[in-house]
PDB file of all heavy atoms in Angstrom:
ATOM      1  N   HIS A 660      -1.853  -5.964  49.421  1.00 71.00           N
ATOM      2  CA  HIS A 660      -1.637  -5.783  50.860  1.00 71.00           C
ATOM      3  C   HIS A 660      -2.860  -6.234  51.668  1.00 71.00           C
ATOM      4  O   HIS A 660      -2.734  -6.777  52.759  1.00 71.00           O
ATOM      5  CB  HIS A 660      -1.319  -4.315  51.160  1.00 71.00           C
ATOM      6  CG  HIS A 660      -1.113  -4.034  52.603  1.00 71.00           C
ATOM      7  ND1 HIS A 660       0.020  -4.428  53.266  1.00 71.00           N
ATOM      8  CD2 HIS A 660      -1.892  -3.437  53.522  1.00 71.00           C
ATOM      9  CE1 HIS A 660      -0.066  -4.079  54.537  1.00 71.00           C
ATOM     10  NE2 HIS A 660      -1.218  -3.473  54.719  1.00 71.00           N
ATOM     11  N   HIS A 661      -4.044  -6.018  51.118  1.00 67.00           N
ATOM     12  CA  HIS A 661      -5.296  -6.344  51.801  1.00 67.00           C
ATOM     13  C   HIS A 661      -5.575  -7.843  51.837  1.00 67.00           C
ATOM     14  O   HIS A 661      -6.358  -8.305  52.640  1.00 67.00           O
ATOM     15  CB  HIS A 661      -6.450  -5.660  51.069  1.00 67.00           C
ATOM     16  CG  HIS A 661      -6.622  -6.224  49.694  1.00 67.00           C
ATOM     17  ND1 HIS A 661      -5.838  -5.815  48.641  1.00 67.00           N
ATOM     18  CD2 HIS A 661      -7.424  -7.188  49.220  1.00 67.00           C
ATOM     19  CE1 HIS A 661      -6.168  -6.515  47.573  1.00 67.00           C
ATOM     20  NE2 HIS A 661      -7.134  -7.352  47.895  1.00 67.00           N
ATOM     21  N   ASP A 662      -4.950  -8.617  50.952  1.00 66.00           N
ATOM     22  CA  ASP A 662      -5.273 -10.034  50.778  1.00 66.00           C
ATOM     23  C   ASP A 662      -4.548 -10.894  51.806  1.00 66.00           C
ATOM     24  O   ASP A 662      -3.381 -11.214  51.658  1.00 66.00           O
ATOM     25  CB  ASP A 662      -4.906 -10.479  49.364  1.00 66.00           C
ATOM     26  CG  ASP A 662      -5.363 -11.896  49.051  1.00 66.00           C
ATOM     27  OD1 ASP A 662      -5.987 -12.532  49.927  1.00 66.00           O
ATOM     28  OD2 ASP A 662      -5.099 -12.359  47.933  1.00 66.00           O
ATOM     29  N   MET A 663      -5.273 -11.292  52.836  1.00 65.00           N
ATOM     30  CA  MET A 663      -4.673 -12.076  53.917  1.00 65.00           C
ATOM     31  C   MET A 663      -5.190 -13.508  53.952  1.00 65.00           C
ATOM     32  O   MET A 663      -4.837 -14.275  54.831  1.00 65.00           O
ATOM     33  CB  MET A 663      -4.937 -11.391  55.258  1.00 65.00           C
ATOM     34  CG  MET A 663      -4.337  -9.994  55.339  1.00 65.00           C
ATOM     35  SD  MET A 663      -4.666  -9.199  56.908  1.00 65.00           S
ATOM     36  CE  MET A 663      -3.721 -10.210  58.002  1.00 65.00           C
ATOM     37  N   ILE A 715     -11.294   0.108  47.581  1.00 94.00           N
ATOM     38  CA  ILE A 715     -10.753  -0.208  48.909  1.00 94.00           C
ATOM     39  C   ILE A 715      -9.432  -0.950  48.752  1.00 94.00           C
ATOM     40  O   ILE A 715      -8.437  -0.639  49.414  1.00 94.00           O
ATOM     41  CB  ILE A 715     -11.756  -1.023  49.749  1.00 94.00           C
ATOM     42  CG1 ILE A 715     -12.935  -0.145  50.158  1.00 94.00           C
ATOM     43  CG2 ILE A 715     -11.073  -1.626  50.982  1.00 94.00           C
ATOM     44  CD1 ILE A 715     -14.073  -0.891  50.829  1.00 94.00           C
ATOM     45  N   GLU A 716      -9.410  -1.920  47.856  1.00 92.00           N
ATOM     46  CA  GLU A 716      -8.198  -2.709  47.644  1.00 92.00           C
ATOM     47  C   GLU A 716      -7.076  -1.889  47.011  1.00 92.00           C
ATOM     48  O   GLU A 716      -5.908  -2.274  47.081  1.00 92.00           O
ATOM     49  CB  GLU A 716      -8.513  -3.929  46.778  1.00 92.00           C
ATOM     50  CG  GLU A 716      -9.397  -4.935  47.492  1.00 92.00           C
ATOM     51  CD  GLU A 716      -9.867  -6.078  46.609  1.00 92.00           C
ATOM     52  OE1 GLU A 716      -9.566  -6.070  45.394  1.00 92.00           O
ATOM     53  OE2 GLU A 716     -10.530  -6.982  47.147  1.00 92.00           O
ATOM     54  N   LEU A 718      -6.289   1.121  47.998  1.00 93.00           N
ATOM     55  CA  LEU A 718      -5.691   2.017  48.992  1.00 93.00           C
ATOM     56  C   LEU A 718      -4.231   1.639  49.225  1.00 93.00           C
ATOM     57  O   LEU A 718      -3.900   0.451  49.270  1.00 93.00           O
ATOM     58  CB  LEU A 718      -6.443   1.928  50.319  1.00 93.00           C
ATOM     59  CG  LEU A 718      -7.839   2.527  50.370  1.00 93.00           C
ATOM     60  CD1 LEU A 718      -8.538   2.134  51.665  1.00 93.00           C
ATOM     61  CD2 LEU A 718      -7.760   4.035  50.238  1.00 93.00           C
ATOM     62  N   PRO A 719      -3.352   2.629  49.419  1.00 92.00           N
ATOM     63  CA  PRO A 719      -1.967   2.307  49.770  1.00 92.00           C
ATOM     64  C   PRO A 719      -1.949   1.540  51.100  1.00 92.00           C
ATOM     65  O   PRO A 719      -2.826   1.743  51.950  1.00 92.00           O
ATOM     66  CB  PRO A 719      -1.308   3.678  49.934  1.00 92.00           C
ATOM     67  CG  PRO A 719      -2.206   4.648  49.243  1.00 92.00           C
ATOM     68  CD  PRO A 719      -3.587   4.062  49.305  1.00 92.00           C
ATOM     69  N   PRO A 720      -0.978   0.654  51.291  1.00 90.00           N
ATOM     70  CA  PRO A 720      -0.936  -0.172  52.510  1.00 90.00           C
ATOM     71  C   PRO A 720      -1.078   0.629  53.806  1.00 90.00           C
ATOM     72  O   PRO A 720      -1.823   0.226  54.700  1.00 90.00           O
ATOM     73  CB  PRO A 720       0.418  -0.868  52.435  1.00 90.00           C
ATOM     74  CG  PRO A 720       0.694  -0.961  50.976  1.00 90.00           C
ATOM     75  CD  PRO A 720       0.121   0.299  50.379  1.00 90.00           C
ATOM     76  N   GLU A 721      -0.390   1.778  53.901  1.00 93.00           N
ATOM     77  CA  GLU A 721      -0.471   2.555  55.154  1.00 93.00           C
ATOM     78  C   GLU A 721      -1.871   3.118  55.374  1.00 93.00           C
ATOM     79  O   GLU A 721      -2.366   3.141  56.497  1.00 93.00           O
ATOM     80  CB  GLU A 721       0.592   3.657  55.205  1.00 93.00           C
ATOM     81  CG  GLU A 721       0.567   4.638  54.061  1.00 93.00           C
ATOM     82  CD  GLU A 721       1.219   4.162  52.767  1.00 93.00           C
ATOM     83  OE1 GLU A 721       1.854   3.086  52.734  1.00 93.00           O
ATOM     84  OE2 GLU A 721       1.070   4.865  51.759  1.00 93.00           O
ATOM     85  N   ALA A 722      -2.548   3.543  54.314  1.00 94.00           N
ATOM     86  CA  ALA A 722      -3.918   4.047  54.442  1.00 94.00           C
ATOM     87  C   ALA A 722      -4.874   2.902  54.764  1.00 94.00           C
ATOM     88  O   ALA A 722      -5.781   3.054  55.584  1.00 94.00           O
ATOM     89  CB  ALA A 722      -4.345   4.749  53.155  1.00 94.00           C
ATOM     90  N   TYR A 723      -4.680   1.761  54.136  1.00 91.00           N
ATOM     91  CA  TYR A 723      -5.525   0.592  54.391  1.00 91.00           C
ATOM     92  C   TYR A 723      -5.418   0.170  55.858  1.00 91.00           C
ATOM     93  O   TYR A 723      -6.423  -0.100  56.510  1.00 91.00           O
ATOM     94  CB  TYR A 723      -5.119  -0.561  53.469  1.00 91.00           C
ATOM     95  CG  TYR A 723      -6.049  -1.743  53.565  1.00 91.00           C
ATOM     96  CD1 TYR A 723      -7.147  -1.848  52.732  1.00 91.00           C
ATOM     97  CD2 TYR A 723      -5.834  -2.752  54.505  1.00 91.00           C
ATOM     98  CE1 TYR A 723      -8.018  -2.926  52.817  1.00 91.00           C
ATOM     99  CE2 TYR A 723      -6.696  -3.832  54.602  1.00 91.00           C
ATOM    100  CZ  TYR A 723      -7.775  -3.910  53.758  1.00 91.00           C
ATOM    101  OH  TYR A 723      -8.643  -4.973  53.863  1.00 91.00           O
ATOM    102  N   ASP A 724      -4.193   0.129  56.382  1.00 90.00           N
ATOM    103  CA  ASP A 724      -3.973  -0.323  57.760  1.00 90.00           C
ATOM    104  C   ASP A 724      -4.517   0.643  58.804  1.00 90.00           C
ATOM    105  O   ASP A 724      -5.000   0.221  59.846  1.00 90.00           O
ATOM    106  CB  ASP A 724      -2.482  -0.561  58.012  1.00 90.00           C
ATOM    107  CG  ASP A 724      -1.956  -1.800  57.312  1.00 90.00           C
ATOM    108  OD1 ASP A 724      -2.771  -2.650  56.885  1.00 90.00           O
ATOM    109  OD2 ASP A 724      -0.724  -1.914  57.174  1.00 90.00           O
ATOM    110  N   ARG A 725      -4.439   1.936  58.552  1.00 94.00           N
ATOM    111  CA  ARG A 725      -4.855   2.905  59.578  1.00 94.00           C
ATOM    112  C   ARG A 725      -6.335   3.246  59.506  1.00 94.00           C
ATOM    113  O   ARG A 725      -6.889   3.828  60.433  1.00 94.00           O
ATOM    114  CB  ARG A 725      -3.994   4.158  59.521  1.00 94.00           C
ATOM    115  CG  ARG A 725      -4.360   5.132  58.457  1.00 94.00           C
ATOM    116  CD  ARG A 725      -3.662   6.487  58.584  1.00 94.00           C
ATOM    117  NE  ARG A 725      -3.997   7.278  57.437  1.00 94.00           N
ATOM    118  CZ  ARG A 725      -3.253   7.397  56.355  1.00 94.00           C
ATOM    119  NH1 ARG A 725      -2.088   6.799  56.289  1.00 94.00           N
ATOM    120  NH2 ARG A 725      -3.657   8.119  55.334  1.00 94.00           N
ATOM    121  N   SER A 726      -6.998   2.887  58.416  1.00 94.00           N
ATOM    122  CA  SER A 726      -8.401   3.259  58.227  1.00 94.00           C
ATOM    123  C   SER A 726      -9.331   2.218  58.837  1.00 94.00           C
ATOM    124  O   SER A 726      -9.129   1.021  58.678  1.00 94.00           O
ATOM    125  CB  SER A 726      -8.724   3.392  56.735  1.00 94.00           C
ATOM    126  OG  SER A 726      -7.951   4.401  56.156  1.00 94.00           O
ATOM    127  N   ALA A 727     -10.366   2.729  59.493  1.00 93.00           N
ATOM    128  CA  ALA A 727     -11.404   1.855  60.035  1.00 93.00           C
ATOM    129  C   ALA A 727     -12.311   1.404  58.876  1.00 93.00           C
ATOM    130  O   ALA A 727     -12.230   1.927  57.757  1.00 93.00           O
ATOM    131  CB  ALA A 727     -12.224   2.598  61.086  1.00 93.00           C
ATOM    132  N   LYS A 731     -12.761   3.272  55.129  1.00 96.00           N
ATOM    133  CA  LYS A 731     -12.431   2.677  53.824  1.00 96.00           C
ATOM    134  C   LYS A 731     -13.624   2.822  52.880  1.00 96.00           C
ATOM    135  O   LYS A 731     -13.455   3.146  51.697  1.00 96.00           O
ATOM    136  CB  LYS A 731     -12.058   1.200  53.987  1.00 96.00           C
ATOM    137  CG  LYS A 731     -10.744   0.983  54.690  1.00 96.00           C
ATOM    138  CD  LYS A 731     -10.485  -0.491  54.919  1.00 96.00           C
ATOM    139  CE  LYS A 731      -9.189  -0.666  55.691  1.00 96.00           C
ATOM    140  NZ  LYS A 731      -9.255  -1.671  56.697  1.00 96.00           N
TER     141      LYS A 731
END
Side-chain angles (χ1 to χ4, degrees):
H660 179 73
H661 66 279
D662 187 1
M663 299 179 67
I715 290 172
E716 292 173 356
L718 289 170
E721 57 280 352
Y723 187 91
D724 288 344
R725 80 169 174 263
S726 298
K731 290 175 183 139

